[in-house]
Every structure is written in structure tokens, then in C-alpha cells.
Amino acid sequence: MTTTETLVAPSSARGRRRNRDRGLILLAAPSTIWYLIFTIGPLFAMFYIAFLDWEGLAAKPTWAGWANFERMFTDDRILNASVNTAIHLFATLPIMMLLSFMLGYFLNLRLPGHRILRVILFIPALISISALGMLFVAVLGPVGLVNGFLTSAGLPELARAWLADPSTAMICLIVVTIWSGTGFNAILFSARLSGIDEDIYAAADLDGAGHWQKMWGITFPIALDYFGVLTMLQFLWTFFGTAGLILILTQGGPGRATETLSWLVFRFGYEDADVGYSQAIGILLFVVGVIGLLVIRRFLRARY
């Protein structure tokens, strides 16, 4: 090969790479523009609106500076909602994820009837939030299924308006959240665990390992990254997405017993016509959500 040929060949290769990269950039451009407009744009809008005094979407907003944030840090309602949010998260997330993982392991054993069980577990994921809320209003209401069962069992003194009692309303919200998310996560865990090499379990059987040892000593370490991803997704859903369920079940009550931060974003934004303050709470929610994700990621030693 001549000297001229060796100089031309690399230059030609670089040209092809540049053309290929330009093509990839052009293909990715529409989705990138869509993401910037409809995802990053609203995020910046939230930060801007938080500095406004805006009494409803039909009113003219005025600049309020840091007033919404100063009000937020002196509002005892925010403190109460933060405590309720923490109780809801710490009671819901560990129980739901561990129970889902164990159910996913059980499904992966493929015992007789496992297909029917998969369908039953997936049913809550097919129920809309409005239907789910109405279902549990019927179950937990004063003349609902739970009180009917207690009365039939000769325990009428235990019957109560479960969603209207301050001592039981948050417990009911936690139970409904766990019920609605456990089956779906179990199906996802089952799908992940089905990809683990059967030879690993066969070797464990030869060593005399039981199901409990195989579940936590073998399967859990292998699926730890996936466990972390699902925990983060469920954390986001529980942290940001419970306002709809609270709206139907308790509307934040009785009193302030089930008010969470995500509920206050809705309450101030749509019912109290205080949009700027609502978005200031939204920023608090955003910051705490990011910190929560980092903590989960660190705790589960995620590699994603």
C-alpha cells in the first residue's frame, strides 16, 4: 500500500462515521425536541409559577418572589402533610416490595394453578383509580363489607366508619395502596426471576438448600438491581400519585389525617385557587423525590 493510500483510507473512514452520526442525530431530533417541550418545559414552568401569586387559572398572576416559599416553611399544614407522607411511604414501600418479591418467587416455581394466580394478581392493575376508590368506599364504608362481616361475626362493637375515623383512615389508605400494587409488582418479579439459570437452583438443591435459603441467599442477590428499579418506580408512584386515591377515599380527611404533600399540590391548585403556592409545594415534592431516589439507589447498591 502506498503512503497516499494509507492517508486517504482513515480520512474516508472518519467521513463515513460523521455521516452515520449525522443520520443518528437527525433520527433522534424529533423525540429530543418533543422531550424538551413537553417534559423539561413544564418542569421549568413549575419553578416559574412557584414565584407567582396566582389566584386561579382565570386570574392574572403577579410576581410574588419568595413569598410562597416563606409561607410554606411556616405552614403547619405542610409539616402535617410531610409526616403523613413519610408514614404512608415507610409503611407501604417495604411491605409491598418484599411481599411482591416473595410472590414473584412463588409464581416462578410454576406450581399447579400458577397461571390462574397470575391472572388474579394482575387484576388490580386493570382497575382504574376511580373504580378502585369506589370499590374500597363500598368495602370500608359504614354499611360496607368489613362492617357487615364484623356484625355477622358477633363483633358489632368493632364496626366503624373506617375512612372517616382519624385513627384508621391512614391505615386504610396504606392497605389500599399495598393491595393495588403488590400483584402487579409480583408479576414483574416473576418475569425477571424466570431468566435465572435453573442450574443454579439445581446446584443449591444438591447442597440441601430450602426455598427460604434459595429465595434470599441466591435469588435476591441476583435480582437486586431489578429489585432496586422496581422499588424506585413504586416509590415515585406512591410519592407522587396518591392524590387521586385520597380524593376519592378521604379527601385528605377526616380533619387532616390523610393529607399528603401530593394531595396538597392538588388541593391548593384546584380547590383553593392558589396556583403559585401549589407549585411551591410541587418543588418541595420534586426535591424530596430526587433525594428519595438517590437514597434507594445507594441503599440497594444499584449499578444502573
Side-chain angles (χ1 to χ4, degrees), residues 118-133 135 179-185 187 237:
R118 285 173 193 270
V119 173
I120 294 173
L121 288 173
F122 197 74
I123 285 176
L126 302 175
I127 302 175
S128 65
I129 288 183
S130 55
L132 182 70
L135 171 67
W179 182 87
S180 62
T182 300
F184 180 72
N185 285 319
I187 298 295
W237 169 247

mmCIF file of all heavy atoms in Angstrom, residues 118-133 135 179-185 187 237:
data_model
loop_
_atom_site.group_PDB
_atom_site.id
_atom_site.type_symbol
_atom_site.label_atom_id
_atom_site.label_comp_id
_atom_site.label_asym_id
_atom_site.label_seq_id
_atom_site.Cartn_x
_atom_site.Cartn_y
_atom_site.Cartn_z
ATOM 1 N N ARG A 118 -51.598 -15.891 38.487
ATOM 2 C CA ARG A 118 -51.038 -14.711 37.814
ATOM 3 C C ARG A 118 -52.152 -13.760 37.363
ATOM 4 O O ARG A 118 -52.055 -12.540 37.519
ATOM 5 C CB ARG A 118 -50.229 -15.148 36.577
ATOM 6 C CG ARG A 118 -48.899 -15.764 36.887
ATOM 7 C CD ARG A 118 -48.259 -16.319 35.622
ATOM 8 N NE ARG A 118 -47.132 -17.174 35.928
ATOM 9 C CZ ARG A 118 -45.885 -16.747 36.054
ATOM 10 N NH1 ARG A 118 -45.626 -15.471 35.876
ATOM 11 N NH2 ARG A 118 -44.926 -17.586 36.350
ATOM 12 N N VAL A 119 -53.225 -14.337 36.808
ATOM 13 C CA VAL A 119 -54.346 -13.510 36.354
ATOM 14 C C VAL A 119 -54.982 -12.783 37.536
ATOM 15 O O VAL A 119 -55.270 -11.579 37.482
ATOM 16 C CB VAL A 119 -55.391 -14.388 35.630
ATOM 17 C CG1 VAL A 119 -56.631 -13.562 35.301
ATOM 18 C CG2 VAL A 119 -54.796 -14.980 34.360
ATOM 19 N N ILE A 120 -55.184 -13.513 38.626
ATOM 20 C CA ILE A 120 -55.802 -12.902 39.817
ATOM 21 C C ILE A 120 -54.930 -11.761 40.349
ATOM 22 O O ILE A 120 -55.430 -10.689 40.704
ATOM 23 C CB ILE A 120 -56.023 -13.975 40.903
ATOM 24 C CG1 ILE A 120 -57.063 -14.990 40.426
ATOM 25 C CG2 ILE A 120 -56.457 -13.336 42.214
ATOM 26 C CD1 ILE A 120 -57.223 -16.181 41.346
ATOM 27 N N LEU A 121 -53.618 -11.994 40.406
ATOM 28 C CA LEU A 121 -52.718 -10.962 40.933
ATOM 29 C C LEU A 121 -52.667 -9.734 40.030
ATOM 30 O O LEU A 121 -52.437 -8.621 40.500
ATOM 31 C CB LEU A 121 -51.304 -11.543 41.096
ATOM 32 C CG LEU A 121 -51.106 -12.537 42.244
ATOM 33 C CD1 LEU A 121 -49.719 -13.159 42.185
ATOM 34 C CD2 LEU A 121 -51.291 -11.840 43.592
ATOM 35 N N PHE A 122 -52.888 -9.939 38.725
ATOM 36 C CA PHE A 122 -52.777 -8.816 37.789
ATOM 37 C C PHE A 122 -54.052 -7.978 37.725
ATOM 38 O O PHE A 122 -54.026 -6.847 37.236
ATOM 39 C CB PHE A 122 -52.434 -9.344 36.392
ATOM 40 C CG PHE A 122 -51.900 -8.303 35.465
ATOM 41 C CD1 PHE A 122 -50.608 -7.821 35.618
ATOM 42 C CD2 PHE A 122 -52.680 -7.787 34.449
ATOM 43 C CE1 PHE A 122 -50.108 -6.847 34.779
ATOM 44 C CE2 PHE A 122 -52.185 -6.814 33.593
ATOM 45 C CZ PHE A 122 -50.900 -6.337 33.765
ATOM 46 N N ILE A 123 -55.155 -8.512 38.223
ATOM 47 C CA ILE A 123 -56.443 -7.816 38.115
ATOM 48 C C ILE A 123 -56.412 -6.396 38.696
ATOM 49 O O ILE A 123 -56.931 -5.457 38.065
ATOM 50 C CB ILE A 123 -57.562 -8.667 38.756
ATOM 51 C CG1 ILE A 123 -57.903 -9.834 37.819
ATOM 52 C CG2 ILE A 123 -58.816 -7.833 39.030
ATOM 53 C CD1 ILE A 123 -58.912 -10.797 38.385
ATOM 54 N N PRO A 124 -55.823 -6.152 39.896
ATOM 55 C CA PRO A 124 -55.808 -4.771 40.415
ATOM 56 C C PRO A 124 -55.185 -3.754 39.469
ATOM 57 O O PRO A 124 -55.573 -2.583 39.468
ATOM 58 C CB PRO A 124 -54.997 -4.891 41.711
ATOM 59 C CG PRO A 124 -55.206 -6.309 42.138
ATOM 60 C CD PRO A 124 -55.257 -7.095 40.874
ATOM 61 N N ALA A 125 -54.224 -4.210 38.637
ATOM 62 C CA ALA A 125 -53.586 -3.281 37.697
ATOM 63 C C ALA A 125 -54.535 -2.873 36.581
ATOM 64 O O ALA A 125 -54.301 -1.873 35.897
ATOM 65 C CB ALA A 125 -52.336 -3.930 37.099
ATOM 66 N N LEU A 126 -55.620 -3.631 36.387
ATOM 67 C CA LEU A 126 -56.580 -3.327 35.329
ATOM 68 C C LEU A 126 -57.734 -2.465 35.826
ATOM 69 O O LEU A 126 -58.628 -2.126 35.052
ATOM 70 C CB LEU A 126 -57.135 -4.638 34.744
ATOM 71 C CG LEU A 126 -56.089 -5.607 34.176
ATOM 72 C CD1 LEU A 126 -56.760 -6.897 33.738
ATOM 73 C CD2 LEU A 126 -55.342 -4.966 33.013
ATOM 74 N N ILE A 127 -57.716 -2.125 37.115
ATOM 75 C CA ILE A 127 -58.792 -1.323 37.690
ATOM 76 C C ILE A 127 -58.339 0.132 37.759
ATOM 77 O O ILE A 127 -57.275 0.427 38.316
ATOM 78 C CB ILE A 127 -59.163 -1.832 39.096
ATOM 79 C CG1 ILE A 127 -59.589 -3.304 39.030
ATOM 80 C CG2 ILE A 127 -60.275 -0.990 39.702
ATOM 81 C CD1 ILE A 127 -59.866 -3.918 40.388
ATOM 82 N N SER A 128 -59.137 1.045 37.230
ATOM 83 C CA SER A 128 -58.780 2.469 37.269
ATOM 84 C C SER A 128 -58.851 2.990 38.702
ATOM 85 O O SER A 128 -59.488 2.377 39.574
ATOM 86 C CB SER A 128 -59.734 3.264 36.379
ATOM 87 O OG SER A 128 -61.046 3.202 36.919
ATOM 88 N N ILE A 129 -58.185 4.116 38.939
ATOM 89 C CA ILE A 129 -58.159 4.678 40.292
ATOM 90 C C ILE A 129 -59.565 5.026 40.770
ATOM 91 O O ILE A 129 -59.918 4.784 41.935
ATOM 92 C CB ILE A 129 -57.259 5.931 40.319
ATOM 93 C CG1 ILE A 129 -55.796 5.522 40.202
ATOM 94 C CG2 ILE A 129 -57.470 6.709 41.615
ATOM 95 C CD1 ILE A 129 -54.833 6.671 40.287
ATOM 96 N N SER A 130 -60.389 5.562 39.878
ATOM 97 C CA SER A 130 -61.752 5.916 40.284
ATOM 98 C C SER A 130 -62.545 4.672 40.672
ATOM 99 O O SER A 130 -63.242 4.659 41.703
ATOM 100 C CB SER A 130 -62.458 6.669 39.151
ATOM 101 O OG SER A 130 -62.420 5.909 37.958
ATOM 102 N N ALA A 131 -62.426 3.599 39.883
ATOM 103 C CA ALA A 131 -63.136 2.360 40.218
ATOM 104 C C ALA A 131 -62.568 1.735 41.485
ATOM 105 O O ALA A 131 -63.318 1.217 42.329
ATOM 106 C CB ALA A 131 -63.026 1.380 39.056
ATOM 107 N N LEU A 132 -61.245 1.823 41.629
ATOM 108 C CA LEU A 132 -60.597 1.284 42.835
ATOM 109 C C LEU A 132 -61.093 2.009 44.084
ATOM 110 O O LEU A 132 -61.410 1.393 45.110
ATOM 111 C CB LEU A 132 -59.085 1.431 42.702
ATOM 112 C CG LEU A 132 -58.226 0.881 43.841
ATOM 113 C CD1 LEU A 132 -58.273 -0.643 43.848
ATOM 114 C CD2 LEU A 132 -56.787 1.357 43.685
ATOM 115 N N GLY A 133 -61.148 3.347 43.987
ATOM 116 C CA GLY A 133 -61.628 4.133 45.122
ATOM 117 C C GLY A 133 -63.060 3.792 45.484
ATOM 118 O O GLY A 133 -63.390 3.596 46.665
ATOM 119 N N LEU A 135 -64.618 1.060 44.866
ATOM 120 C CA LEU A 135 -64.648 -0.314 45.391
ATOM 121 C C LEU A 135 -64.371 -0.329 46.893
ATOM 122 O O LEU A 135 -65.099 -0.959 47.674
ATOM 123 C CB LEU A 135 -63.611 -1.158 44.645
ATOM 124 C CG LEU A 135 -63.334 -2.564 45.201
ATOM 125 C CD1 LEU A 135 -64.568 -3.444 45.032
ATOM 126 C CD2 LEU A 135 -62.140 -3.191 44.495
ATOM 127 N N TRP A 179 -52.546 -3.214 48.442
ATOM 128 C CA TRP A 179 -53.381 -4.148 47.677
ATOM 129 C C TRP A 179 -53.303 -3.862 46.175
ATOM 130 O O TRP A 179 -53.246 -4.783 45.355
ATOM 131 C CB TRP A 179 -54.832 -4.020 48.142
ATOM 132 C CG TRP A 179 -55.763 -4.977 47.456
ATOM 133 C CD1 TRP A 179 -56.049 -6.259 47.812
ATOM 134 C CD2 TRP A 179 -56.525 -4.720 46.262
ATOM 135 N NE1 TRP A 179 -56.938 -6.823 46.930
ATOM 136 C CE2 TRP A 179 -57.252 -5.903 45.969
ATOM 137 C CE3 TRP A 179 -56.675 -3.619 45.427
ATOM 138 C CZ2 TRP A 179 -58.106 -5.997 44.871
ATOM 139 C CZ3 TRP A 179 -57.511 -3.726 44.330
ATOM 140 C CH2 TRP A 179 -58.220 -4.903 44.061
ATOM 141 N N SER A 180 -53.282 -2.593 45.820
ATOM 142 C CA SER A 180 -53.338 -2.239 44.401
ATOM 143 C C SER A 180 -52.012 -2.461 43.682
ATOM 144 O O SER A 180 -51.999 -2.626 42.464
ATOM 145 C CB SER A 180 -53.770 -0.773 44.243
ATOM 146 O OG SER A 180 -52.829 0.086 44.860
ATOM 147 N N GLY A 181 -50.875 -2.471 44.411
ATOM 148 C CA GLY A 181 -49.584 -2.542 43.727
ATOM 149 C C GLY A 181 -48.847 -3.859 43.869
ATOM 150 O O GLY A 181 -47.946 -4.154 43.071
ATOM 151 N N THR A 182 -49.216 -4.675 44.842
ATOM 152 C CA THR A 182 -48.440 -5.891 45.117
ATOM 153 C C THR A 182 -48.507 -6.902 43.968
ATOM 154 O O THR A 182 -47.479 -7.439 43.532
ATOM 155 C CB THR A 182 -48.943 -6.552 46.415
ATOM 156 O OG1 THR A 182 -48.769 -5.617 47.494
ATOM 157 C CG2 THR A 182 -48.160 -7.821 46.708
ATOM 158 N N GLY A 183 -49.688 -7.175 43.471
ATOM 159 C CA GLY A 183 -49.836 -8.181 42.423
ATOM 160 C C GLY A 183 -49.087 -7.821 41.155
ATOM 161 O O GLY A 183 -48.402 -8.665 40.555
ATOM 162 N N PHE A 184 -49.183 -6.552 40.743
ATOM 163 C CA PHE A 184 -48.513 -6.109 39.521
ATOM 164 C C PHE A 184 -46.999 -6.268 39.646
ATOM 165 O O PHE A 184 -46.332 -6.785 38.740
ATOM 166 C CB PHE A 184 -48.889 -4.648 39.252
ATOM 167 C CG PHE A 184 -48.270 -4.081 38.019
ATOM 168 C CD1 PHE A 184 -48.701 -4.478 36.763
ATOM 169 C CD2 PHE A 184 -47.245 -3.150 38.108
ATOM 170 C CE1 PHE A 184 -48.123 -3.961 35.612
ATOM 171 C CE2 PHE A 184 -46.665 -2.623 36.965
ATOM 172 C CZ PHE A 184 -47.112 -3.023 35.718
ATOM 173 N N ASN A 185 -46.449 -5.839 40.795
ATOM 174 C CA ASN A 185 -45.009 -5.973 41.001
ATOM 175 C C ASN A 185 -44.596 -7.438 41.075
ATOM 176 O O ASN A 185 -43.499 -7.808 40.641
ATOM 177 C CB ASN A 185 -44.592 -5.241 42.279
ATOM 178 C CG ASN A 185 -44.569 -3.740 42.099
ATOM 179 O OD1 ASN A 185 -44.137 -3.232 41.077
ATOM 180 N ND2 ASN A 185 -45.056 -3.008 43.086
ATOM 181 N N ILE A 187 -45.893 -9.910 39.404
ATOM 182 C CA ILE A 187 -45.804 -10.406 38.023
ATOM 183 C C ILE A 187 -44.485 -9.965 37.384
ATOM 184 O O ILE A 187 -43.813 -10.752 36.687
ATOM 185 C CB ILE A 187 -46.995 -9.882 37.188
ATOM 186 C CG1 ILE A 187 -48.321 -10.399 37.758
ATOM 187 C CG2 ILE A 187 -46.851 -10.296 35.728
ATOM 188 C CD1 ILE A 187 -48.499 -11.877 37.682
ATOM 189 N N TRP A 237 -44.418 6.313 42.200
ATOM 190 C CA TRP A 237 -45.873 6.212 42.075
ATOM 191 C C TRP A 237 -46.554 6.517 43.414
ATOM 192 O O TRP A 237 -47.545 7.238 43.476
ATOM 193 C CB TRP A 237 -46.257 4.824 41.573
ATOM 194 C CG TRP A 237 -47.726 4.556 41.669
ATOM 195 C CD1 TRP A 237 -48.349 3.661 42.478
ATOM 196 C CD2 TRP A 237 -48.756 5.221 40.941
ATOM 197 N NE1 TRP A 237 -49.701 3.730 42.307
ATOM 198 C CE2 TRP A 237 -49.983 4.674 41.370
ATOM 199 C CE3 TRP A 237 -48.758 6.228 39.972
ATOM 200 C CZ2 TRP A 237 -51.206 5.089 40.865
ATOM 201 C CZ3 TRP A 237 -49.990 6.654 39.461
ATOM 202 C CH2 TRP A 237 -51.181 6.080 39.909
#
